[in-house]
Amino acid sequence: VSYFDCSPEVTLNCVPIGRPIDNTRLYILDPHLNLLPIGIPGELYIGGVGLARGYIGQPELTKERFIPDPYLPGERIYKTGDLARWYAQGDIEYLGRLDHQLKIRGFRVELGEIENRLVQHKAIRDAVVTGIEYAGQKHLCAYYVADRELARRDLRGHIQKKLPEYMVPSFFVRMQVLPVSANGK
């Protein structure tokens, strides 16, 4: 549903998912289905001629995910569950899944945003962030794949350059590889 023109002359921290293809609409909306401005993360919605009618044999899921388009009466959009934001140039950056959302000390935290920031570190190849219970409170724990152990201070500083303090993990664990399920997720 989207494309991005890559150029070998341009160095990027991440490759955006780009812009909508012809006859496709991409929206980034808040929980109340309001359009979000450039740079503000929200949920990605898809509309247009290529949109499916729904999930086969799953009417409840279809009703939940395929909703009326608030900006084009009579049309429908698909609620992806993906966290994304617009770049000023008109491309979209994928930030992660919204089902990776936690509430920590009263703040709603998008785990995908933290993971995205971690993999921008030159030494980190992969990362996942999760919530853990420790001493009766919920904390963020980052698992990362790197060739060497990285100082907690350096990792915190790297994250704090772009994200607020409440999104900085309390714990960092280096791993050789991130475990995946049988279907690769």
Side-chain angles (χ1 to χ4, degrees):
V1 298
S2 65
Y3 74 96
F4 179 73
D5 285 327
C6 296
S7 170
E9 290 85 39
V10 177
T11 302
L12 301 169
N13 289 332
C14 71
V15 178
I17 62 172
R19 304 162 187 251
I21 61 172
D22 289 343
N23 301 313
T24 300
R25 297 180 309 281
L26 298 179
Y27 300 127
I28 298 178
L29 306 176
D30 71 10
H32 306 288
L33 302 180
N34 296 308
L35 293 169
L36 289 169
I38 293 168
I40 303 300
E43 186 164 1
L44 178 65
Y45 288 77
I46 301 169
V49 298
L51 192 63
R53 291 189 186 121
Y55 291 101
I56 295 174
Q58 298 183 51
E60 287 81 29
L61 188 56
T62 295
K63 185 177 179 182
E64 176 189 323
R65 292 293 185 162
F66 292 83
I67 64 172
D69 186 327
Y71 302 100
L72 283 175
E75 297 286 327
R76 292 176 313 120
I77 54 176
Y78 175 66
K79 180 180 172 78
T80 67
D82 291 329
L83 182 68
R85 68 175 159 213
W86 287 104
Y87 283 146
Q89 302 84 352
D91 294 308
I92 294 175
E93 177 186 12
Y94 171 78
L95 298 170
R97 293 286 301 163
L98 281 169
D99 50 12
H100 284 84
Q101 198 176 73
L102 288 178
K103 200 162 190 178
I104 303 278
R105 296 183 298 279
F107 294 100
R108 188 148 304 280
V109 176
E110 304 289 352
L111 300 179
E113 270 192 272
I114 303 167
E115 293 164 357
N116 185 47
R117 181 65 187 144
L118 277 168
V119 297
Q120 291 175 10
H121 189 286
K122 63 184 177 211
I124 295 178
R125 292 192 312 269
D126 201 1
V128 67
V129 177
T130 188
I132 62 169
E133 288 284 330
Y134 179 73
Q137 292 190 343
K138 196 176 281 187
H139 295 270
L140 295 172
C141 181
Y143 299 90
Y144 66 94
V145 177
D147 292 331
R148 59 183 165 82
E149 190 75 32
L150 301 170
R152 181 177 180 272
R153 176 187 73 250
D154 294 339
L155 291 170
R156 288 183 54 81
H158 173 74
I159 293 171
Q160 286 173 319
K161 286 180 185 174
K162 299 275 181 153
L163 298 176
E165 178 65 31
Y166 67 86
M167 293 180 79
V168 178
S170 301
F171 305 99
F172 295 90
V173 179
R174 180 178 161 247
M175 302 187 72
Q176 297 297 319
V177 67
L178 295 178
V180 294
S181 64
N183 64 357
K185 293 184 179 185

